[in-house]
Amino acid sequence: MESILDFLSNITWWMWIIIALAIVAIRDIIQNKHTISHNFPIVGHFRYMLESIGPELRQYLVANNREELPFNRIERGWVYASSKNENNYEGFGTDRDIYAHQHIFINNAMLPYKLEDNHPNKKDKHFLPCAKVMGEYNKRKRPYRPASVINVSAMSFGSLSAKAVESLNKGVKLAGAYHNTGEGGLSPYHKNGGDVVFHFGTGYFGVRDDDGNFSMEKLKQLVKENPFVRAIEVKLSQGAKPGKGGVLPGSKITKEISEIRHVPMGEDVLSPPNHSAFNTIPELVEFVEAIAQETGLPVGIKAAIGKLEQWEELADYMKANNKGPDFITVDGGEGGTGAAPPSFADHVSLPWVYGFGDLYKLFKDKGLTERIVFIGSGKLGFPAKAAMAFAMGADCINVAREAMMSIGCIQAQVCHTNRCPAGVATQNKWLQRGINVPLKSERLAQYFNTFKKELLEITHAAGYEHPCQFKMTDVEVNVDDHNLSKELDRTYNYNKVEVPFNGVQALKDCMHLGGKA
Ligand SMILES: Cc1cc2nc3c(=O)[nH]c(=O)nc-3n(C[C@H](O)[C@H](O)[C@H](O)COP(=O)(O)O)c2cc1C
């Protein structure tokens, strides 16, 4: 024994390194799972290491300012600086190729809109409520005028951490916006004072019976117990994975998640592609009406757009029967998700401008736009993009990933692994530790406020008081040379219906502002 210890103590550090490398080399040669390390023992590992840190290397060192997707460095930097109330200006002029295809230009007025001394925006530069009231046309018991045109899009507790959800909810309270729950039910973290839009999909999480079917009784109870729930959104599909259900693995179902979602512990839970509560378009409308009747709240639907036949059927049914959803959220194919197969995320459903344009035009042709609040989501969390969306007919913007970035997301793109380094999209308690909720909620509110202020400044530069006044002819999109650059109306072949608007003061005096009445 002593001679072995003697022998080991005589091995120098560099000999230990050689022994370790020899063991790795032998293991590489014996294994047959990884061809590269089998064929190139030891050095093959560098390939795997470099591959795994490739995104970070590109993000920090290699990619130029405008290169990355989904959000490039300039876009991320703008959200980060806005949320920290830092200088978010750029010096020396734009670094964008403003002649590039699809670049948009907003036509400014010769003389900008002038704010009188008694104008609500003179005192409050962030006051920017929605110009339409959800549920007003259909005479719902509790109509709702969102007090902010920018709001937090559907992201569940489960896909996001408890601390992230709490930060978002406290943040929307500070910014006067609403917080969409996403599919995971209403958690305690959604109950921190912000307005809430309760959202559910085919899994009916939080409002399901023991067999996984929709329970009206549970929804009624939820609305009764939580008066801050202002509207209900039925998800038909989302841009990143339309027509695709999901599996919540039994291993991820904690006691808390099981109670919030009303799902059993330890078993995989399926959310199928289809709803079990309705099968046809008339049944969908009657479902929406029944929820509105029972809860008194405005009810909307969320979808990504592809084929239009069923939408046409919906519009015809709404017109013939004088009922239907109070709002429609259109998600773009570029939308984000906690997890989706790339084949879906990359290829199924239309990008926002195409999908929204098709849908709005269809509802316009049927004379239905005035009764619907149109909400857009899909990388619209930037003032100029939002101005374009308003010109096309959107009344509100929902933001998901931009909101995540404002509370610390670094676009690591690992939401599906439970290893989010920023603690935003993970259930790992250790990773969540770094989230300082009061600070992050301030940051979301600051991002929203900066966004609204800049959107208003663009609106005033175009000669208007409120972004609802933007017309298709106010925005041009580059299709090539200037002679070929076309206004939105000539590009997408429709004109937006004018939104009835009697000044921001009238919005401020509205009894439904923020669901007050
Ligand atoms: C982490 C995460 C979770 C999401 N969860 C849902 C969801 O539960 N239901 C839904 O309809 N959309 C969900 N979405 C989609 C967003 O609500 C939004 O429609 C989409 O990301 C486009 O907005 P964005 O470009 O501002 O991110 C999720 C997105 C992300 C990033």
Side-chain angles (χ1 to χ4, degrees):
M1 185 68 183
E2 233 169 70
S3 58
I4 297 176
L5 287 176
D6 260 3
F7 173 73
L8 289 176
S9 61
N10 283 335
I11 301 177
T12 54
W13 63 269
W14 56 267
M15 284 166 83
W16 278 117
I17 293 176
I18 291 176
I19 294 168
L21 289 176
I23 294 171
V24 173
I26 293 166
R27 200 206 64 157
D28 283 351
I29 293 164
I30 294 171
Q31 64 82 35
N32 57 7
K33 269 202 201 144
H34 304 287
T35 314
I36 296 292
S37 39
H38 176 86
N39 291 351
F40 302 93
I42 300 175
V43 283
H45 289 274
F46 290 110
R47 181 200 169 269
Y48 296 114
M49 270 166 52
L50 284 174
E51 193 183 32
S52 70
I53 57 166
E56 284 82 0
L57 284 182
R58 284 194 295 277
Q59 188 174 112
Y60 295 123
L61 300 175
V62 182
N64 73 36
N65 285 345
R66 296 281 181 186
E67 205 170 45
E68 295 159 281
L69 288 168
F71 297 95
N72 62 47
R73 191 177 296 142
I74 295 282
E75 290 170 327
R76 294 197 309 275
W78 183 81
V79 175
Y80 296 143
S82 302
S83 63
K84 292 179 194 158
N85 207 11
E86 286 172 354
N87 182 346
N88 65 358
Y89 283 24
E90 62 186 25
F92 210 64
T94 181
D95 66 349
R96 299 275 301 252
D97 175 5
I98 67 168
Y99 295 94
H101 181 66
Q102 283 284 327
H103 191 82
I104 54 164
F105 312 98
I106 295 154
N107 289 318
N108 56 302
M110 190 173 155
L111 302 176
Y113 178 82
K114 191 170 177 190
L115 288 180
E116 298 300 336
D117 283 344
N118 60 352
H119 192 280
N121 288 131
K122 202 71 180 187
K123 237 170 123 187
D124 181 355
K125 293 189 171 14
H126 319 125
F127 181 66
L128 190 49
C130 178
K132 287 186 188 163
V133 177
M134 288 178 177
E136 189 169 51
Y137 177 87
N138 290 315
K139 301 196 173 52
R140 307 301 186 204
K141 275 192 219 107
R142 290 173 56 194
Y144 177 56
R145 183 191 292 280
S148 164
V149 295
I150 169 163
N151 297 287
V152 173
S153 196
M155 290 181 287
S156 62
F157 165 57
S159 70
L160 297 191
S161 66
K163 284 205 172 179
V165 175
E166 191 180 334
S167 305
L168 294 176
N169 194 269
K170 290 185 169 163
V172 295
K173 179 169 193 281
L174 295 172
Y178 67 70
H179 182 183
N180 189 311
T181 59
E183 285 189 75
L186 185 72
S187 73
Y189 314 106
H190 291 105
K191 302 180 186 179
N192 285 288
D195 279 357
V196 164
V197 171
F198 182 73
H199 163 113
F200 64 83
T202 58
Y204 306 114
F205 296 128
V207 288
R208 59 192 254 142
D209 63 19
D210 294 343
D211 300 322
N213 295 315
F214 172 73
S215 161
M216 185 68 88
E217 278 317 304
K218 283 196 170 153
L219 181 62
K220 268 169 70 177
Q221 188 72 13
L222 184 146
V223 171
K224 201 167 141 218
E225 285 170 3
N226 301 287
F228 53 84
V229 175
R230 303 286 183 194
I232 292 165
E233 185 175 74
V234 182
K235 172 180 154 173
L236 305 178
S237 59
Q238 70 181 93
K241 46 177 181 181
K244 168 114 184 61
V247 184
L248 182 64
S251 58
K252 280 187 97 175
I253 305 179
T254 59
K255 189 160 180 298
E256 187 178 33
I257 289 183
S258 135
E259 279 166 14
I260 294 167
R261 297 197 180 203
H262 295 299
V263 295
M265 296 254 314
E267 286 171 34
D268 291 357
V269 177
L270 294 178
S271 39
N274 295 97
H275 276 269
S276 54
F278 53 86
N279 293 308
T280 63
I281 301 298
E283 282 174 19
L284 163 65
V285 174
E286 298 310 329
F287 181 65
V288 163
E289 288 296 324
I291 294 177
Q293 187 66 33
E294 294 289 341
T295 62
L297 294 180
V299 182
I301 54 177
K302 171 172 178 175
I305 312 299
K307 295 181 187 185
L308 291 177
E309 293 84 350
Q310 288 166 328
W311 288 103
E312 182 144 23
E313 190 186 339
L314 171 66
D316 287 338
Y317 192 86
M318 285 173 69
K319 201 171 166 91
N321 298 282
N322 203 24
K323 48 178 141 173
D326 300 295
F327 63 96
I328 300 181
T329 307
V330 174
D331 200 23
E334 59 273 68
T337 173
S343 48
F344 266 79
D346 295 348
H347 297 292
V348 188
S349 84
L350 295 174
W352 191 82
V353 274
Y354 303 154
F356 184 85
D358 284 357
L359 189 84
Y360 185 91
K361 193 147 89 86
L362 191 152
F363 277 85
K364 185 197 160 196
D365 291 347
K366 308 277 178 190
L368 292 170
T369 50
E370 283 98 334
R371 53 164 106 166
I372 300 164
V373 174
F374 287 96
I375 302 172
S377 59
K379 294 172 68 172
L380 297 176
F382 304 91
K385 284 276 216 57
M388 177 202 69
F390 274 91
M392 293 183 72
D395 300 298
C396 273
I397 303 293
N398 278 354
V399 294
R401 289 164 294 179
E402 300 90 320
M404 289 167 71
M405 290 192 279
S406 75
I407 61 164
C409 160
I410 57 164
Q411 191 170 273
Q413 294 171 267
V414 290
C415 313
H416 58 297
T417 64
N418 207 27
R419 291 202 303 268
C420 170
V424 174
T426 175
Q427 297 309 306
N428 182 316
K429 290 266 185 298
W430 193 84
L431 290 168
Q432 289 181 47
R433 270 183 338 155
I435 298 189
N436 172 343
V437 174
L439 180 76
K440 298 298 179 184
S441 44
E442 280 281 343
R443 291 212 171 146
L444 177 94
Q446 193 56 52
Y447 159 55
F448 274 20
N449 284 342
T450 309
F451 185 110
K452 286 186 278 184
K453 182 174 144 286
E454 284 194 21
L455 175 58
L456 267 174
E457 285 166 353
I458 292 177
T459 306
H460 296 161
Y464 297 129
E465 184 183 1
H466 188 283
C468 74
Q469 296 171 289
F470 271 115
K471 301 186 193 65
M472 294 287 270
T473 45
D474 292 318
V475 183
E476 289 185 37
V477 54
N478 238 352
V479 283
D480 204 8
D481 194 67
H482 186 212
N483 302 331
L484 295 171
S485 109
K486 291 204 274 183
E487 292 90 356
L488 293 175
D489 60 334
R490 292 195 294 133
T491 310
Y492 299 115
N493 294 323
Y494 72 93
N495 264 307
K496 171 186 148 181
V497 179
E498 207 175 304
V499 177
F501 174 67
N502 296 314
V504 169
Q505 187 63 50
L507 301 184
K508 197 173 175 198
D509 297 340
C510 170
M511 64 192 289
H512 301 302
L513 181 64
K516 275 188 305 211

